[in-house]
Structure formats: structure tokens, C-alpha cells
Amino acid sequence: MNQGQADERMMQLLRLLNRLLERSPESRRRLLAWHTPIIVPVWPQVRLFEEEPSYCAYGEAYEINCARFGREPDMPIVLFKKRLASPDGSYQQDPDCSLRMAAFNEICDKVVSENIFSQYVYKTLPTCNHLWLFKKHFCSQMALSGLLCYMLLLPGRSPNKILFAKDSGRLFQLDPLPLYSEKGMVERIEVVPYRLTRNLATFFTTFGVEGVFVPAQVAVAAALLARNSNLNAVLCSFFKEDLISWMVRKSRGAGQGSLHISGDTIKGLVVRNTHKVTERLKQFAPSPVGEDEVPLQSIHHQAQEICDAATSPKTLCRMDPTWHPWF
């Protein structure tokens, strides 16, 4: 797999989406844009990545906390798997997720606290002004990251794959690649819609989640789905290149020689994937309300419901322990 070309396709997609955001006054007022660093492919598995000096991984805060208290970083993973194992060491069936929920709550109560990331940021930034600006911008960047993950069903958002700049709050995800099923459709392999775990929600506070995070997602969705938007053309261009690359990799993995791909097959997959992405994006768009109507719910109640699902312990406990749902 040519990782450099895949990253380059994703950066091109984000740059085109940023152009659509520039047309919307709401997204411009909130300074909403995906961070698109320069990535230069050097070799199929090697690329040069533009990185600011203040970049660090989200998981660094957890590792520093473990080193401070003399705790192994993998201790929660070992404890989680031990609680799910039977006395003979085999995996126990847990259809109602009661064992997962009990193990998740135990780790949250005794091992990983909810303010690890907050303490890390408080001790890193010099003044309260820096903290306020970082929190607001980082919250907006996480909102855009979550929206992109929900649109394209991007998996594997582990703490070490989330990079952020401590001086500006800019955020970048490593390996943001969609996964395709055998039928060539983007498939969901994770239960949570995007990453908004306990430590992030605690750092943002309720005011940040409901006042910055969710409204940012709604504003971006409205901008991308505007009447003058060419979102479908942008998505079709992305899926065409990505699906062709996926089919070539699939044929090589199966040991096949030359691959003949019909135009109708590619066109059908591109149209269906683009339609699915647009439908998921519409869940974040504000609900239309007539002039004489009294809204019974918030105009972004659907986005708030998705946010609640991302922070729900019942959903987080079903994630793989290497995803660190407690952090």
C-alpha cells in the first residue's frame, strides 16, 4: 500500500472542503478549517510530514501521568482483558456487555482519572490567556476531526494517532483512511461515532461541548451542504481515486495479475459511497424551521444525540481496549 499517495489524497480532499467552508459566513466567523500540513511522498512506505515544534501526541499526557505515578501504560488494558476472561483463561461471552461495563467503570474509578489531560494542559501552557485560546481552538479542531470520522467512518483514532500543536491547538490525525468492505462500500467497524472520551469532555467542560463542539459541527455541515456547494463532485473525485487504489491493492493481495476495472463498476461504487457520506452529513445539518413554527427541539438536536452517543459509557465500554476508551 502506498501510504504517501493515500495521505496525499486525504489532504487534497480536506483542502477542497476548506474552500467550501470559506464560502460560509458562519464557518469563517468561527475560523473553522481542517489543518492540512504538507506531506511529501518519498517511498511507498515513507513520506515527509510538516510538523510544528510544539506538536505532541494526545497519548503523551497519559504516558507522562503513568510515569509520574509509576504505573504501566498497559495496565488498564491488562485489567480490562482479565475482567472479561473466565477462570480457565478463555474469553467469556458477554451479550449484554455487563462485564465490559463493570470493567470499564472499575478502570475509570481506580486507574484512569478524568482530568489527566486537563492537568497536562494546565501545566504546559504559560498563562490563562493561552489556555483559553488553546481550549477554544482545540475544541473546534476536535469537532472537525469528529465530523470527518463520522462522514468517512474513519477507524483507529487511538491516542497516539492524534497530534496537536500546544501553541495553536491545531490538530492532525495520522493515517486517516477509510476501510472498504468486500463490496467496495465504506464500512463501520467501531461502535462510537467519533472520539470524545472522558478526558476530552472534562477538558472542554459542558460549556465547551455544547457551546463550541456541537455548534462547530453544525456550522460545517451547513456549509458543506449549502446550495452553491459542489460537495458531491469533491467526494466523487476522492472516492474514484481511492477505490481504484483499493481494488489494485486487493488484486495484488489475491495474487492476481493485471486487473480490469469497468467504468460502470467504479461509477456505481462512487455514487453509492458519496450518497452514504452525504446522508451521514445531513444528520449534523440544522433542522429547518418555518417562520410561524415554534421549534419543539433544538435545531441541532441530531448532532447533540450523536455527541451523547460518543460520550456514553455504554458505547465506550464496547470499544477495543487498545483504543483507550477510558482516556
Side-chain angles (χ1 to χ4, degrees), residues 224-237:
L224 297 180
L225 296 172
R227 292 183 179 180
N228 60 344
S229 172
N230 59 344
L231 176 65
N232 286 336
V234 172
L235 292 176
C236 287
S237 177

Side-chain angles (χ1 to χ4, degrees), residues 19 36 45 63 71 97 131 137 140 147 154 165 172 174 182 196 210 215 222 246 249 252 297 310-311:
R19 292 185 180 181
T36 55
Q45 296 293 340
E63 294 174 357
R71 185 177 65 244
C97 296
L131 175 62
H137 195 56
S140 300
L147 181 62
L154 301 179
F172 179 73
L174 296 176
E182 291 295 327
L196 186 60
E210 298 182 0
W246 171 77
R249 296 195 308 269
R252 290 177 180 175
Q297 294 177 319
T311 57

Side-chain angles (χ1 to χ4, degrees), residues 211-229:
V212 178
F213 191 92
V214 175
Q217 292 180 332
V218 173
V220 170
L224 297 180
L225 296 172
R227 292 183 179 180
N228 60 344
S229 172

Side-chain angles (χ1 to χ4, degrees), residues 84-102:
L84 297 182
S86 59
D88 59 354
S90 61
Y91 177 76
Q92 296 188 68
Q93 297 296 329
D94 188 23
D96 57 351
C97 296
S98 58
L99 295 177
R100 285 179 167 269
M101 191 67 185

Side-chain angles (χ1 to χ4, degrees), residues 308-327:
D308 294 339
T311 57
S312 173
K314 295 181 180 180
T315 309
L316 292 173
C317 71
R318 297 168 61 187
M319 291 297 297
D320 189 89
T322 57
W323 196 78
H324 290 273
W326 37 80
F327 179 65

Side-chain angles (χ1 to χ4, degrees), residues 130-264:
H130 289 83
L131 175 62
W132 186 86
L133 291 174
F134 172 83
K135 181 180 291 189
K136 183 178 180 181
H137 195 56
F138 182 65
C139 185
S140 300
Q141 289 285 293
M142 282 299 299
L144 268 67
S145 171
L147 181 62
L148 183 68
C149 290
Y150 191 79
M151 287 170 51
L152 302 178
L153 302 181
L154 301 179
R157 300 304 92 204
S158 59
N160 291 327
K161 287 188 176 182
I162 300 177
L163 303 180
F164 66 92
K166 290 181 283 189
D167 58 350
S168 62
R170 289 180 177 177
L171 184 139
F172 179 73
Q173 302 184 72
L174 296 176
D175 303 331
L177 306 175
L179 296 181
Y180 297 96
S181 64
E182 291 295 327
K183 298 181 180 179
M185 297 294 296
V186 177
E187 63 176 351
R188 180 190 299 274
I189 63 174
E190 293 181 347
V191 182
V192 295
Y194 47 77
R195 188 176 193 95
L196 186 60
T197 47
R198 298 167 59 244
N199 272 262
L200 289 173
T202 302
F203 176 67
F204 296 150
T205 70
T206 305
F207 299 101
V209 174
E210 298 182 0
V212 178
F213 191 92
V214 175
Q217 292 180 332
V218 173
V220 170
L224 297 180
L225 296 172
R227 292 183 179 180
N228 60 344
S229 172
N230 59 344
L231 176 65
N232 286 336
V234 172
L235 292 176
C236 287
S237 177
F238 169 77
F239 279 118
K240 176 186 175 182
E241 299 295 332
D242 209 46
L243 283 168
I244 292 176
S245 177
W246 171 77
M247 289 183 175
V248 172
R249 296 195 308 269
K250 183 180 178 183
S251 64
R252 290 177 180 175
Q256 301 176 1
S258 59
L259 177 65
H260 175 71
I261 305 174
S262 63
D264 294 337

